[in-house]
């Protein structure tokens, strides 16, 4: 029986087993190391990506083309009444634009609803997962889109980076530019505000930054029942420890731990640690 199909991009950082379980189609961005090109999550393993990053590699990313999206939409429409396609913030990437162009192409015979997550990493991923669960339960595309828009409005993203170098180098630093040139060993705490990277606070040293991140999430949850995702860039042990502390402090309905893929890892840099959460 036809239903609603869900599409996202590799910036969503959904763990592969979960994406496969929920039948979420992931369109990869391209990661460039010099003249080498790789499709994120397809022909570049995360271990190899971070090895290159730690070795001083300076990757950059490019968005999927409209024809990349068209191919996915054409494949899915044979078994779909509609498609919901949820993507990287339009303020951070042209991925949304490519998806929107593809949605209007001749030969796309079902409605394609393109949703701007106004977010990145598991901020997108949690939206796509929710959409896929609703689709499997028989929800209409219109109901899914309405629900996602409400999620976008209440979802919060908080993260710390070891250095602003990667965000600055790749032009994704947004309003966090105000933190550039800080004192030695100052760790920036950042958020994504209406689709743009924005500054929150600065902490002296990583331990204090991590402790403050935990405090801010606890305060932001306001005792409500929440769904949470902890994301990290090659810092699994620290992420799992943070997840354990969040479970003990918050009324958690669901918690996912995921690693930043090459798309987001390129811009955030190794050592990034973040939390996405929203009330349910």
């Amino acid at each position: 029986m036809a239903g609603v199909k869900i599409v996202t991009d590799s910036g969503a950082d959904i763990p592969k087993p979960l994406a496969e379980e929920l039948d979420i189609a992931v369109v990869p961005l391209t990661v460039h190391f010099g003249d080498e090109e790789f499709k994120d999550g397809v022909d570049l393993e995360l271990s190899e990506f971070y090895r290159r990053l730690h070795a001083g590699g300076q990757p950059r990313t490019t968005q999927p083309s409209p024809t990349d999206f068209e191919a996915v939409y054409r494949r899915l429409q044979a078994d779909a009444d509609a498609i919901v396609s949820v993507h990287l913030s339009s303020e951070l990437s042209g991925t949304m634009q490519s998806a929107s162009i593809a949605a209007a192409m001749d030969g796309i015979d079902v409605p394609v609803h393109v949703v701007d997550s106004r977010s990145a990493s598991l901020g997108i991923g949690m939206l796509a997962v929710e959409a896929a669960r609703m689709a499997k339960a028989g929800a209409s595309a219109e109901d899914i889109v309405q629900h996602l828009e409400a999620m976008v409005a209440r979802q919060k993203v908080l993260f710390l980076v070891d250095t602003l170098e990667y965000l600055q180098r790749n032009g994704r630093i947004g309003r966090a530019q105000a933190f550039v040139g800080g004192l030695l060993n100052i760790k920036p705490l950042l958020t994504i505000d209406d689709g743009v990277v924005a500054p929150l606070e600065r902490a002296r040293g990583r331990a204090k930054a991590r402790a403050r991140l935990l405090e801010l999430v606890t305060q932001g949850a306001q005792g409500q029942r929440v769904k949470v995702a902890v994301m990290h860039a090659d810092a699994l042990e620290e992420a799992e420890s943070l997840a354990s502390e969040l479970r003990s402090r918050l009324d958690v309905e669901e918690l996912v731990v995921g690693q930043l893929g090459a798309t987001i890892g390129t811009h955030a840099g190794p050592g990034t640690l973040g939390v996405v959460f929203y009330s349910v």
Side-chain angles (χ1 to χ4, degrees):
M1 186 174 68
V4 180
K5 298 296 184 182
I6 308 302
V7 178
T8 190
D9 57 72
S10 59
D13 292 333
I14 303 171
K16 279 187 179 180
L18 185 58
E20 290 169 359
E21 173 193 338
L22 294 173
D23 196 27
I24 299 170
V26 180
V27 180
L29 277 77
T30 301
V31 181
H32 306 259
F33 280 96
D35 294 332
E36 294 181 278
E37 293 186 0
F38 304 93
K39 293 295 185 184
D40 183 11
V42 176
D43 50 19
L44 179 63
E45 293 294 328
L46 268 180
S47 57
E48 173 62 11
F49 168 74
Y50 281 109
R51 186 195 68 75
R52 288 173 178 241
L53 208 58
H54 284 295
Q58 297 190 9
R60 60 184 177 88
T61 60
T62 52
Q63 69 210 45
S65 69
T67 54
D68 291 332
F69 280 106
E70 180 193 16
V72 173
Y73 295 158
R74 282 181 177 272
R75 172 172 61 83
L76 295 178
Q77 70 182 7
D79 297 312
D81 296 320
I83 295 169
V84 173
S85 203
V86 55
H87 297 293
L88 265 165
S89 169
S90 58
E91 302 290 340
L92 297 174
S93 171
T95 300
M96 270 279 303
Q97 183 181 26
S98 291
S100 298
I101 292 169
M105 284 181 171
D106 291 339
I108 303 302
D109 300 324
V110 300
V112 179
H113 303 262
V114 181
V115 177
D116 189 343
S117 72
R118 310 300 291 171
S119 193
S121 189
L122 282 163
I124 316 164
M126 293 179 83
L127 297 175
V129 165
E130 187 78 7
R133 287 172 175 163
M134 290 182 71
K136 284 186 175 292
S140 69
E142 292 77 13
D143 285 347
I144 292 171
V145 170
Q146 184 178 22
H147 185 72
L148 295 186
E149 288 172 347
M151 281 181 64
V152 168
R154 67 182 190 274
Q155 184 174 257
K156 295 180 175 64
V157 181
L158 307 174
F159 62 105
L160 66 89
V161 293
D162 257 355
T163 171
L164 291 168
E165 172 192 350
Y166 294 90
L167 284 165
Q168 188 174 34
R169 178 197 300 162
N170 290 290
R172 303 307 198 278
I173 196 164
R175 298 196 297 274
Q177 181 72 39
F179 278 177
V180 171
L183 299 173
L184 188 65
N185 201 32
I186 292 296
K187 300 301 179 186
L189 285 157
L190 308 171
T191 186
I192 297 180
D193 180 21
D194 197 24
V196 178
V197 176
L200 273 180
E201 299 180 5
R202 285 180 282 200
R204 187 174 295 277
R206 188 170 179 93
K208 289 184 178 178
R210 182 188 174 284
R212 185 59 180 147
L213 176 65
L214 181 60
E215 286 177 4
L216 289 169
V217 174
T218 304
Q219 291 168 8
Q222 298 179 330
Q224 301 176 85
R225 189 160 180 78
V226 291
K227 289 190 177 183
V228 185
V230 176
M231 48 201 178
H232 69 95
D234 204 25
L236 176 59
E237 185 175 336
E238 198 171 14
E240 289 181 336
S241 173
L242 179 60
S244 178
E245 290 178 86
L246 288 169
R247 283 192 187 95
S248 69
R249 288 192 179 208
L250 305 180
D251 182 7
V252 175
E253 179 170 303
E254 181 178 22
L255 193 152
V256 175
V257 176
Q259 187 166 16
L260 299 186
T263 294
I264 305 300
T266 288
H267 304 293
T272 296
L273 186 66
V275 181
V276 181
F277 64 101
Y278 65 94
S279 59
V280 295

